[in-house]
Amino acid sequence: HSRRILSSKVELGQSTMMNADMDAVEAENQVELEEKTRLINQVLELQHTLEDLSARVDAVKEENLKLKSENQVLGQYIENLMSASSVFQTTDTKSKRK
């Protein structure tokens, strides 16, 4: 009878240890799941940030092309004004000295 009681106590102790081990594994799995969830959310946030930055780069490129075009038009306009104005005409210094 005492062997049976001793055996039951050993089994109970082993069962308690197994439950504790299972609880530890479950807690570890929960921590891993939370970490994975946090990382997934971080990746998604970074993807949205990248999309926003890409859209901003595209908008800046488009604005840059527009400004380059406007600068070319203004440059040509200024060049035309300068060539039409007598103030900016080159003078032939040899002919004036003669």
Side-chain angles (χ1 to χ4, degrees):
H1 180 70
S2 63
R3 270 190 183 171
R4 196 186 299 164
I5 293 173
L6 182 60
S7 175
S8 294
K9 286 183 179 181
V10 169
E11 288 175 10
L12 183 61
Q14 288 175 342
S15 175
T16 304
M17 286 175 42
M18 287 178 58
N19 284 343
D21 288 344
M22 289 175 60
D23 288 345
V25 167
E26 284 182 29
E28 187 176 319
N29 287 342
Q30 183 65 30
V31 168
E32 286 180 13
L33 181 62
E34 289 171 1
E35 180 67 10
K36 285 180 183 179
T37 302
R38 187 186 68 76
L39 289 173
I40 289 170
N41 288 335
Q42 190 175 13
V43 166
L44 291 173
E45 184 179 333
L46 289 171
Q47 283 179 336
H48 292 304
T49 301
L50 180 59
E51 289 170 359
D52 292 343
L53 288 172
S54 292
R56 178 71 177 129
V57 166
D58 290 342
V60 168
K61 282 182 180 179
E62 192 174 309
E63 181 68 16
N64 187 32
L65 288 173
K66 180 182 167 191
L67 291 173
K68 278 184 180 181
S69 176
E70 289 176 3
N71 283 344
Q72 286 178 336
V73 169
L74 288 172
Q76 186 64 46
Y77 177 73
I78 290 170
E79 192 177 305
N80 290 343
L81 284 176
M82 288 172 52
S83 66
S85 172
S86 61
V87 174
F88 297 106
Q89 295 298 320
T90 58
T91 56
D92 189 356
T93 52
K94 291 182 182 176
S95 63
K96 287 188 176 182
R97 289 185 185 167
K98 287 185 181 180

